Amino acid sequence: HNGYWGLAEFDTPSFATLVAMNLAIEQDVHLRRVAVVNPGSGRLACMLRSRHNARVDLCGRDFLALSASASNLAQNGSAQAEAGKLAVAWPDELEEQAYDMVAEYLDVTPRVDTCALVWAHALRCLKPGGLYLAVASSADMERFEKYKPKGCSLVRSKRKKGWAAQLWRLEG
């Protein structure tokens, strides 16, 4: 994994990434296609790709983060997995009901409530039975959880040093 000047996690993973990776590792599922929203330098995306041999698509508004993640994914490629051709700015540009998992570092903007919209985008992208992994500060995760729509059940959650990751399954 290469670090990039201007992005977090230059030389070590953040607690947010560690808690998300630990939660994802505990799941004994086969993932064929994954979307990672706001991927940072791509540590979580690379782990999901290498662990599940999945195609990984990237989504986010930070061009440097998308470039770094794509570069790290290409560097960690395998013969069986596609590099993930899709890198888009907005979640509504991701394919509908195409993903076994959507992993998202929540982008929280002060005084702007986007929780319902984030849930709507995630549910639109997931296949029935798909997994949604969200990562945020513990305080932001509590607020985000209150907007959870019907049809999603909590599979597992983890917390570490002020960060929380939660995994939900889309019933259906």
Side-chain angles (χ1 to χ4, degrees):
H1 182 273
N2 289 328
Y4 287 80
W5 289 103
L7 290 178
E9 303 183 319
F10 180 76
D11 57 353
T12 55
S14 68
F15 290 122
T17 296
L18 289 174
V19 75
M21 289 170 64
N22 287 336
L23 188 61
I25 286 171
E26 292 175 357
Q27 302 312 303
D28 188 23
V29 294
H30 178 67
L31 305 173
R32 288 185 293 277
R33 192 165 180 200
V34 176
V36 180
V37 182
N38 302 321
S41 62
R43 286 183 189 273
L44 179 60
C46 288
M47 187 279 299
L48 289 169
R49 174 148 179 221
S50 67
R51 184 136 179 112
H52 297 283
N53 203 25
R55 175 182 168 166
V56 177
D57 294 335
L58 304 170
C59 177
R61 294 176 289 149
D62 184 337
F63 182 74
L64 178 59
L66 290 176
S67 298
S69 293
S71 176
N72 280 323
L73 279 170
Q75 175 181 322
N76 290 291
S78 68
Q80 292 95 8
E82 284 186 56
K85 307 287 187 228
L86 190 62
V88 297
W90 304 103
D92 58 1
E93 296 176 56
L94 292 170
E95 292 180 48
E96 192 169 324
Q97 292 188 346
Y99 298 96
D100 300 307
M101 176 185 271
V102 173
E104 182 167 6
Y105 290 90
L106 298 178
D107 187 12
V108 179
T109 306
R111 292 183 263 149
V112 178
D113 193 4
T114 58
C115 295
L117 183 61
V118 170
W119 275 110
H121 285 309
L123 296 182
R124 186 188 63 76
C125 295
L126 284 171
K127 294 178 181 176
L131 299 169
Y132 179 56
L133 173 64
V135 185
S137 70
S138 294
D140 291 333
M141 185 61 76
E142 283 185 37
R143 190 178 79 207
F144 182 68
E145 238 182 327
K146 293 177 183 174
Y147 288 85
K148 179 184 73 74
K150 291 180 181 178
C152 287
S153 59
L154 183 65
V155 175
R156 183 166 283 169
S157 66
K158 284 203 169 280
R159 294 180 187 274
K160 183 174 185 156
K161 300 206 180 213
W163 291 94
Q166 294 194 344
L167 185 70
W168 292 275
R169 181 177 308 281
L170 176 62
E171 305 301 332

